[in-house]
Amino acid sequence: MGGDLAPATVVAAYAAGFFPWPERPEAELTWCSPDPRAVLPVATFRVPQRLGRTLRQGRFRVTVDAAFEAVIRSCAERPEGTWITPQVVEGYCALHRLGWAHSFEVWHDGELAGGLYGVAYGAMFGAESMFSRVRDASKVAVAAMVQHCRALGVELIDIQVLNDHTARMGGIEISRDAYLELLGRAARRTVAWHRAGAAEGLAGCG
C-alpha cells in the first residue's frame, strides 16, 4: 500500500513483480503481485481459428504507439467502473513519453476500434488493459502484441490475472515464484521496442 505513480516508482514496481491496482482515486494506492500469476506464452501462442479468418479478411489496421492516450482513456470507459483512475492515466502517459509504456491500436474504417496498452521492462511486456468497440478488435490487438513481441525478442508477456477472455487466447497461470524467476531472466536483457521492421505486417493489417 502507498507510494505514487511517478515513472520511477512504477518501473521499480514492475521490476519487483508488482503492478498498481487502485480501488478509487481518493484511496491509498494498492500494489499487487498475485499468486498464481497469469502469462501469455510467447513461443507457443497460436491464433484461434476464427480469429485467423478475421485477420485474413484485412478489415483492421494495426499500429504501435500511435494513440497511447486515446487507448488508455478508452480502456477506462467501463460502465461497471474501472481501476484506471485519472492518476493512472497521467502516470502511464508519462511512462509512455519516457519510452516505458506502449500501446497497440486497432483501426476500422479510420476509427479507433480497439487496443491495449502496457509496460515494457527488459524483455518483459506487462499488458495492462484492453478495449473493443468493434467485434474481435481487442483479440486482434492481442495477436498483434504477441507477433510484435516475438519479432523484438520479448520473452515474457505478463497478463496479471487470468479471465475467460485471456484464457481463450492462450493465457495460463504459473506460480508467483516461477513468474519472478522468468522476470529476473527477462530483466537482464534489453529490447529495442521500435526496432526497424518489427511492426511491418502486424496481424490485422489490411
Side-chain angles (χ1 to χ4, degrees), residues 87-174:
Q87 294 89 337
V88 169
V89 173
E90 181 181 355
Y92 278 75
C93 284
L95 282 172
H96 173 65
R97 290 191 294 271
L98 292 170
W100 293 99
H102 303 281
S103 59
F104 292 84
E105 302 86 20
V106 179
W107 306 86
H108 182 260
D109 291 340
E111 300 292 331
L112 187 61
L116 64 83
Y117 76 95
V119 173
Y121 181 77
M124 183 278 293
F125 183 69
E128 281 288 330
S129 186
M130 68 181 74
F131 79 99
S132 184
R133 296 188 182 122
V134 175
R135 182 175 179 178
D136 290 334
S138 63
K139 294 177 183 178
V140 170
V142 172
M145 172 190 68
V146 176
Q147 183 178 332
H148 192 63
C149 285
R150 278 178 179 168
L152 296 178
V154 170
E155 300 174 358
L156 175 62
I157 298 179
D158 172 27
I159 54 174
Q160 301 176 351
V161 179
L162 198 65
N163 57 39
D164 290 342
H165 180 64
T166 53
R168 285 193 295 269
M169 293 294 291
I172 62 171
E173 291 182 328
I174 60 176

